[in-house]
Every structure is written in structure tokens, then in C-alpha cells.
Amino acid sequence: MAETVPADRRQRTQELRSQLQKASYAYYVLDAPDLPDEVYDRLYRELQKLEEQYPTLVTPDSPTQRVGERPASQFTALEHNIPLYSLENAFDIDEYRQWEVRWQRQTPDINEAPVVAELKIDGNALALTYENGLLTRGVTRGDGISGEDITQNVRTIRSIPLRLQIDNPPPRVEVRGEAFIPNDVFDRINAERQSKEEAPFANPRNAAAGTLRQLDSRVVAQRRLDFFAYTLLLPEGDGGLSVPQTQEGALNTLQKLGFKVNPNRKLCPTAIDVAQFYDYWDQARTKLPYLTDGVVVKLNDLALQRRLGFTQKFPRWAIALKYPAEEVPTILKNMSVQIGRTGAVTPVAELAPVQLAGTTVSRATLHNADRIAELNLHKGDTVIVRKAGEIIPEVVRVLSNLRPEGAERCQLPTHCPECNETLIRPADEAVTRCINPSCPAIVRGDLIHWTSRQALDIAGLGEKWVQQLLEQKLVNSVADLYELTVEDLLPLERMGQQLAQKLVDAIQASKAQPWSRVLFGLGIRHVGAVNAQLLTKEFYTAKLLTVADPKQIEAVYGIGPEIAYSVHEWFQSATNQRLIERLRAVGVQLEGPPPAAAPTDLPMAGKTFVLTGTLPTLNRKEAKAKIEECGGKVTGSVSSKTSYVVVGIDAGSKLAKAEKLGIQRLSEEDLLALLKNSASP
């Protein structure tokens, strides 16, 4: 029987909810409290009691729903509606001007355009989805293609509205921004952790990242994260909201919707204005209540943003103008080397511990042999260290005048420290490598990569267990994992029956991971998670990749010659072919669904297009979509089977090859006309 709620109780609930939402907005977004705390608490408790008495009154946007009732068991990976690209970095105004020249080259009809400069918040990017005005999804940036569904935790952030402040919202709105922990909250959290003899967080960004991934949203609520919105993705002409035409207008609209937007931003007509904004905040940022590591600059005109589009990694219409990293001196005690999973040899500086950007640093990368020679490193040198991109410590220079007498010069070893095989440096590479596939370091790297979250995602099988498996000679390749039994694992240090069973179950469950994850997990050079997805859509079985030649692989849209050659070489190796057969025998997924057959009744069916250069108004994704809508196929390389090559500004070698083969070339205007005429009845 349906619950009956008296009309006056329903009305009172709505009044309380409205009052509390307005008070929360005033307190957390406007920073202008309009309701005493004791009054807010009294109204909140009244609402709680009403919802407890009449559960049907509870709505997703109720202030009482900020904190989940029970901890989540895990986070689910969700694909972003639109990829979250990272930003290209510039580290001074000269590099910023070079970025200006690059985008202007793509638009010869536009010499200068206003930009919006916004402080770059040192936090964690989130993508929020609102459906009919209600918050329905909060996802971390992840790898830019997919992230973790942390909606339950996002709901605890008071500066994120649970309902948009608009009467007639569009069916779907996506908002992007940065979650962060203010400096005073960070200090309080670390003081509490130290009082409990827990390790303090290194910096607010790490604290925010760890907080967002808490399974218990009550812990997230206690840590008082904040949020600045900076991007609005809005469907055209839906709902009672006009679509902004500028970045400045988008920020103003976000404020109207109830979001907190950083007030420290400026519309800059010229690069001189950007430089002034950048220089001012370089000094003033120390007085801010949160950390900022630079200025994000975006072209103000959203139509121009769409016209410029994206590279494979970055938007062409935005750049992060970073402040110089903190630099500190310390002593180089020694130099060691690490062997990566591809055999790459990375020299590492062993340093006297020093505080740098909120963390204690005792090791720093030296990149490669050329960098060691350039620095002229000697043991005992006083070196200057900074964090590259404020993440990875690196040695930037040597104070040679302080060098101890008789100091030993640093240089790479001639033999691998793990397997004693001779190290090789290919003529066309800066990286020195161990090429022994049985090298323990390479095998260890392969296993750790295979078990990682983006690959086979074997829960619980971390680096320490992998190391023990290798030391006990229980595995020597990823295929060996699938033959492990509980009895094999029990002798491992700190291993019990229950944990051993969990690991075996997790390994067996990973057999169900799709072929794209398996391909990524194989650790082929240059094949990241995105490239693996591109390849497996075309080569939907491992057998197809085994027999494919480099040109066939390169024909996949988005795959270049270097990737194609690397994939081809890997699958031609007899050792790797045996590995594939072993994985097939134990039941790992080496096949995916075949691509859907292209309709044969569409006007461009059977026609193959290649895009080269930058088109005047369409980005490559848009051009590809239009061609495919008409039945055409877009590939990444020119061959005798190519029907048309679509040529934009700064076309490269593909155009030259097309001309050599006599393939018809099209401008963007020609392409649109061809597609339009072909589609006409």
C-alpha cells in the first residue's frame, strides 16, 4: 500500500529543502553565510525527521543525501561522454607566444583573439553529469577516456550543487572542474593524522586524490573538499538556458547554475595582458587559500575553439602556463640504473635527502646517457634538483665549482645489472636497452603491467607479490600466472589460505577481460590503452594481428608508422607467438566482436579517405564522422586503395604520396560538397 503523506508535511519538506539549499549555496559558493549555524542545524534536523517519518519524501537533491549510508565496495570504470584531454604546458611567456603562433597558423584569417586567463588549481579533475537538473554522475579524469565513478563521494562536496539552480534545465548538462583541499583544511587533516601516528599527506593534491577514492563517503565529507567549475558542455537549444558563445560567458553561466567559479580570472586581449596576469599571480599566489601551479589560458571564442579542435593529446585552443618549479641544492651520493619493462635503462641519481615541493626527495631521474654526459656528473657533486611537471624529481644542473677533488665521473654500465647481458643503444635512439627478454627486470615489469588496472586488472596482485613470485621461481611470464594454485602461493611470506584463494580467483577472473585490455597488457612499445582500442576494433582477433603487415596496421585511423612497425615486430617474434598460444590455451580473451559490416547502400560505401593537415572548420573527428555517416571509411595511411585524400593546412608526407599515386585530392569544401551531392536523392 502506497504511503500517504499529509499535504502540509509535503509542503514543509519542500520549504526546508529550499531554505537549506539556498543557505548552503550562500555559505559554500558565495562565501557569504546568511543563516546562523544553529538555525541551519535545527532546520536540517527537522528535515531529517520528516524524511525518516515519510521515506517517499526523500529526493536525490535533498541536503540529507550528501553522505551515503554505507561505504562503496569498489569504484566502477565509466567512459567519459567527451574525452578529458590534458593541457599542453608552457613554462614562460616565450613558450606561450610559440603556442599563439601554432594556433594562428591553423587559422590564417585570424591574427589575434582574446583569451581568458584562469588560475590553474592544483587538484583533481572531475566530470559531472546533470540530467534534468539533477546530479547523476561524478567521474574522475582517469586516463582521459574513462575514469572512476565516484558519484557518492562527489555528492559530499558542498560547493557542487545536487540540483542546478534553473527552473527549466536541459535534459543533460556536463560540467568539468577541479576538486581540491584548501590549505587550512590540509593542515588540519595532517595534524589529525600525525596525532594518530599516521603518515601525513605529502601535499594537498595527493590528499584530494586519496580522499576522492575513499570507499566510505563519510570520510570524504569530513575532509571538506572544495570545487571550482571551469567548463560547461551544453546541448544546443534544449531547456531554458541559452548556450554561451564564449568561455567568459560559460563561466558566468556556471555561476548562475549554482557553481563556484574562481574569481581570479581575466579577459586578456593580448599576450602582454596574459604576461601581466601571469607575473602578478606568481607573487600573489602565496596569499591564496589554495595551491595554484600556473595559469590556464583558453581562447575566449568557443566557435574558434571548436574550429581548432584537438591533437591526439591536447586541445589546440588552450595551454597551461606553469610557474617555474621549486629548485633546491643537494649532494649526489651515487648513481644507479633501473631497467624498465621494455628494457630501457634509466639512470637514477641517489641524493642526500632534501625537502622539495612538499615531499622528501632522495632519488631523481637522469633520463639517459646523453643527459649524464651533458651534466658532466661526478659522485659527490652538488646538484640542483626540481620536480619536472611538479611530479618527477630531476637533476637540472651541477655546481661544478663545488666538486670534491678526485671525484669519480658517472657513466652507464656496459652490462645489465639484473641479467649481466650487454646493454645496447640503437643508433637512432637516445635510450640504452637490455634486449634479453628473460631479464628479471623485464619479466617483473611485464607482470606488473599485465596486472595493472588498465590492463587485466588483477585485484590484489601488486608489485610485492609479483616480486615474491619471481624470487620463488613460480612464474617467468604472464601466462604462468594462470597455472598458479592455492598450494603454490601458500609458502609465500605473509600468505594465508583465504588470501591465496582470493588471488587465484582474481587471476582466473581476469580471463574475461576484453581483447583490447589484453593487447594493452602485452606491453608492446607505443601501444597505450587508446591505441589498443583502435587496433582491436579493426584487428578483432590476435591471429589477424599476427598476419598483418605494417602497412595494414598503419591503415587504422590514428595509428602511425612507428606504432605499426612496433606491433608488427612484436607479433613476428617466435617467443611472443608462443606466449599468445599459451594465453589462448589457458582461456585468456584473444578475440573481440567483429566490426559491424558497413552498409552497402550508402553513397560512399567502398570509398576510402585519408585526412592530412588541418581543415579550416572541421576537426578530424568531425570530418571522420561525416564520412562514415555516408558509408565511407577513414584510414591513417595512403595506399593504392585510397579513393580520396582530404587536404588541409600544413599537409605532410601523405599528400606527397597521394600525388605520386595519382589519388584525387579534396579540400574541405570539396569534401562537404561531395558528401552532400552523394546523399541527395
Side-chain angles (χ1 to χ4, degrees), residues 155 172 178 180 214 221 233 254 323 332 334 397 404 431 436 475 479 508 522 599 666 677-678:
R155 296 173 70 85
R172 177 188 286 264
E178 202 84 359
F180 63 96
Q214 282 282 332
L233 301 169
L254 284 166
Y323 290 117
L332 175 68
N334 200 359
R397 61 184 181 277
V431 178
N436 173 19
V475 297
Q508 295 303 314
L522 291 172
L666 302 174
N677 293 336
S678 300

Side-chain angles (χ1 to χ4, degrees), residues 478-538:
V478 297
D480 293 336
L481 291 171
Y482 296 91
E483 297 175 357
L484 291 172
T485 65
V486 170
E487 289 69 27
D488 292 330
L489 298 179
L490 284 175
L492 299 182
E493 185 181 347
R494 304 188 72 168
M495 178 66 70
Q497 179 80 28
Q498 188 176 7
L499 180 55
Q501 187 63 60
K502 280 186 177 180
L503 286 178
V504 169
D505 290 346
I507 292 169
Q508 295 303 314
S510 74
K511 294 179 184 179
Q513 294 287 9
W515 163 222
S516 60
R517 279 179 172 253
V518 174
L519 180 60
F520 172 66
L522 291 172
I524 302 170
R525 285 183 68 196
H526 309 305
V527 178
V530 175
N531 288 334
Q533 291 177 2
L534 293 174
L535 287 164
T536 53
K537 284 180 182 177
E538 186 72 25

Side-chain angles (χ1 to χ4, degrees), residues 72 89 104 150 320 361 456 481 511:
N89 289 330
Q104 288 167 357
I150 58 166
V361 172
L456 278 290
L481 291 171
K511 294 179 184 179

Side-chain angles (χ1 to χ4, degrees), residues 10-27:
R10 188 180 297 278
Q11 182 178 349
R12 179 56 179 164
T13 302
Q14 292 171 347
E15 289 172 355
L16 288 168
R17 193 171 292 139
S18 177
Q19 286 176 314
L20 291 169
Q21 286 169 343
K22 288 177 181 177
S24 184
Y25 175 71
Y27 186 96

Side-chain angles (χ1 to χ4, degrees), residues 122-350:
D122 199 11
N124 300 90
L126 297 179
L128 312 176
T129 301
Y130 288 80
E131 295 178 352
N132 299 314
L134 287 177
L135 175 66
T136 57
R137 192 172 98 154
V139 183
T140 62
R141 183 184 181 280
D143 62 1
I145 302 299
S146 63
E148 289 182 318
D149 180 0
I150 58 166
T151 308
Q152 183 167 302
N153 289 346
V154 165
R155 296 173 70 85
T156 71
I157 302 175
R158 302 280 179 164
S159 47
I160 293 178
L162 300 180
R163 176 187 287 275
L164 299 178
Q165 293 188 358
I166 181 174
D167 293 333
N168 184 22
R172 177 188 286 264
V173 173
E174 183 159 328
V175 173
R176 288 166 179 189
E178 202 84 359
F180 63 96
I181 290 182
N183 295 339
D184 61 339
V185 177
F186 173 71
D187 292 339
R188 175 181 59 76
I189 292 170
N190 267 354
E192 290 175 358
R193 291 177 69 84
Q194 288 172 321
S195 70
K196 299 175 184 176
E197 297 186 350
E198 296 175 348
F201 288 114
N203 51 56
R205 178 176 51 193
N206 288 358
T211 299
L212 288 169
R213 298 199 72 255
Q214 282 282 332
L215 293 176
D216 190 342
S217 62
R218 291 169 293 188
V219 175
V220 185
Q222 292 167 2
R223 292 192 180 165
R224 306 295 289 270
L225 273 76
D226 209 337
F227 180 80
F228 279 134
Y230 53 65
T231 298
L232 175 65
L233 301 169
L234 189 66
E236 188 81 38
D238 283 331
L241 194 62
S242 60
V243 179
Q245 302 303 310
T246 63
Q247 172 64 8
E248 190 178 33
L251 294 173
N252 292 334
T253 301
L254 284 166
Q255 284 182 296
K256 294 176 184 176
L257 292 174
F259 288 94
K260 190 173 183 177
V261 176
N262 196 322
N264 300 311
R265 61 184 190 271
K266 183 181 180 183
L267 181 64
C268 299
T270 68
I272 294 174
D273 299 298
V274 172
Q276 290 174 345
F277 184 86
Y278 174 74
D279 290 342
Y280 172 80
W281 282 108
D282 190 16
Q283 302 300 318
R285 60 187 171 128
T286 57
K287 299 177 182 178
L288 290 168
Y290 49 81
L291 292 186
T292 175
D293 56 354
V295 173
V296 175
V297 180
K298 302 174 185 174
L299 288 167
N300 191 41
D301 186 339
L302 298 184
L304 181 56
Q305 288 187 13
R306 290 190 291 271
R307 177 177 171 184
L308 285 167
F310 300 82
T311 68
Q312 280 198 342
K313 294 183 178 180
F314 312 117
R316 292 190 177 93
W317 41 266
I319 193 165
L321 186 52
K322 303 288 285 291
Y323 290 117
E326 179 187 351
E327 297 183 350
V328 295
T330 187
I331 302 297
L332 175 68
K333 299 172 70 175
N334 200 359
M335 190 194 80
S336 59
V337 297
Q338 294 177 339
I339 311 298
R341 66 178 177 84
T342 63
V345 178
T346 301
V348 177
E350 307 287 347

